[in-house]
Amino acid sequence: MIKKTIHNFSLLQICQSGQCFRMFQESDNTYSVIANTKYLEMEQHGNSVIFHCDEEEFAGFWMKYFDLENDYSVYMEQINPRDSYLLHAAAFGAGIRILRQDLWEMIVSFLISQQNNITRIRRCIQNICECYGEQQMNAHGKTYYAFPTPQSLAGLEEDALKECNLGYRSKYVVRTAKSIVSGELDLDEVRRMPYKKAKEELMKLFGVGEKVADCICLFALHHLQAFPIDTHISQALEKHYKRGFPNRRYNGYQGVMQQYIFYYELFGERFDK
DNA sequence: CGCCAGGGGAGCT
DNA sequence: AGCTCCCCTGGC
């Protein structure tokens, strides 16, 4: 158990931001997250965060996972002082980080996300983990489930995941699992590709369009120039950026701004939207 | 109870 | 480029 002081870091905001569907608020100040086969509990009081793991695991995994080597105030300082909307949005979501999550897990998660709400996305993912993921046990003896591997889903009937509530997205996930197991798409190669190439490659997968590919690029590959445009972002752009989002100004880290806008649109105050 | 939208994309025209 | 359909739960 180790204690850290961290600026611009809010477990609640990360939890709510909709990039990680396996992070949960357990009580007022406590949170849990499952990543790969790891399970972590955390507590936050202001800038003080307690991680229930040892220093080695923190330095070796969680620090990178939560993108704590990056100073987000640098991004915020670049915001156009005349753009009061973005200033508000960034101030409101200042504790958000772009996590570095598992590629396969993000592909499946955002296949499921389409035409879906966050509550149900979480349930769908919980369901497939319980049905097809390997059972694990945390330090307190509580069981949890790892994310199912591509191999464990590739052998299923295309409709099998309807049992897990995926609806028509079932075949997207199963077919995608097949293309990874068959070697049609090599995840390690995608990891090495620059943004545009990776996006192009991901869009060859059945069920992956531009928006989903951008989410995968942002939340798994940490390509911060990815700017996923969903219904909320689209509405915000129409309201506040009629001539398009200033991609030039924020070149290379538009994705960070996207997250501030997305979070603000979902949870921000109503008055100045 | 009914209704509607939800972090889209495929497969048509 | 525009249209329809895919599935079904949460939220109102």
Side-chain angles (χ1 to χ4, degrees):
Chain A
M1 199 162 113
I2 54 172
K3 190 171 178 176
K4 301 281 174 187
T5 300
I6 309 168
H7 297 281
N8 295 321
F9 184 73
S10 163
L11 289 169
L12 178 61
Q13 289 180 9
I14 293 167
C15 202
Q16 292 176 331
S17 70
Q19 51 175 310
C20 177
F21 303 103
R22 306 201 73 197
M23 182 166 168
F24 301 95
Q25 183 175 25
E26 302 287 354
S27 70
D28 273 1
N29 299 307
T30 64
Y31 303 84
S32 68
V33 63
I34 302 166
N36 301 340
T37 57
K38 295 183 198 299
Y39 173 92
L40 180 68
E41 289 182 356
M42 298 155 287
E43 292 171 47
Q44 179 156 28
H45 304 274
N47 286 334
S48 178
V49 184
I50 296 168
F51 294 87
H52 289 238
C53 65
D54 58 31
E55 182 67 42
E56 190 188 345
E57 186 180 327
F58 178 77
F61 185 81
W62 297 110
M63 190 156 171
K64 197 170 161 69
Y65 178 83
F66 285 112
D67 201 27
L68 295 176
E69 294 147 320
N70 235 332
D71 179 5
Y72 280 61
S73 62
V74 173
Y75 303 129
M76 285 188 266
E77 283 162 11
Q78 301 302 315
I79 296 174
N80 186 343
R82 299 193 307 174
D83 189 344
S84 64
Y85 171 73
L86 193 51
L87 284 173
H88 273 98
F92 185 75
I96 294 174
R97 299 276 169 152
I98 311 288
L99 304 185
R100 294 173 187 265
Q101 300 183 76
D102 178 70
L103 178 54
W104 160 245
E105 184 171 331
M106 289 300 98
I107 292 172
V108 176
S109 298
F110 285 96
L111 276 172
I112 293 172
S113 80
Q114 60 190 86
Q115 200 66 16
N116 210 341
N117 57 63
I118 293 180
T119 317
R120 188 155 84 102
I121 297 166
R122 284 178 181 276
R123 280 198 45 210
C124 289
I125 290 172
Q126 186 64 29
N127 290 342
I128 61 170
C129 289
E130 285 177 8
C131 288
Y132 301 102
E134 197 177 323
Q135 187 173 324
Q136 315 278 325
M137 192 175 288
N138 72 15
H140 313 300
K142 193 180 140 192
T143 61
Y144 64 98
Y145 295 85
F147 202 83
T149 61
Q151 290 74 15
S152 60
L153 300 183
L156 300 177
E157 295 292 323
E158 293 200 340
D159 285 343
L161 296 177
K162 288 184 178 177
E163 301 291 319
C164 295
N165 250 310
L166 299 217
Y168 67 92
R169 306 163 194 88
S170 174
K171 60 177 177 295
Y172 294 164
V173 174
V174 175
R175 275 204 221 173
T176 290
K178 286 184 203 295
S179 14
I180 285 160
V181 170
S182 74
E184 198 178 314
L185 183 76
D186 186 331
L187 294 182
D188 279 325
E189 278 181 28
V190 175
R191 277 186 254 264
R192 288 192 291 268
M193 290 174 185
Y195 166 60
K196 280 196 145 180
K197 183 68 183 156
K199 179 174 173 179
E200 188 183 319
E201 211 55 33
L202 288 166
M203 284 177 67
K204 291 178 184 170
L205 293 169
F206 186 60
V208 176
E210 194 169 355
K211 187 269 174 184
V212 169
D214 271 330
C215 285
I216 299 165
C217 284
L218 187 56
F219 302 131
L221 303 174
H222 212 71
H223 291 310
L224 298 184
Q225 65 268 54
F227 191 93
I229 298 176
D230 57 59
T231 51
H232 296 116
I233 295 292
S234 176
Q235 283 172 27
L237 293 184
E238 270 177 41
K239 264 183 281 181
H240 304 284
Y241 301 97
K242 286 207 166 61
R243 301 194 319 191
F245 187 74
N247 279 303
R248 202 49 38 94
R249 183 184 181 100
Y250 307 109
N251 190 30
Y253 52 95
Q254 299 97 310
V256 179
M257 302 301 157
Q258 191 271 6
Q259 277 296 282
Y260 293 146
I261 295 171
F262 180 78
Y263 184 69
Y264 190 59
E265 287 298 314
L266 258 68
F267 298 99
E269 307 302 330
R270 290 275 160 209
F271 58 87
D272 77 327
K273 277 195 208 165

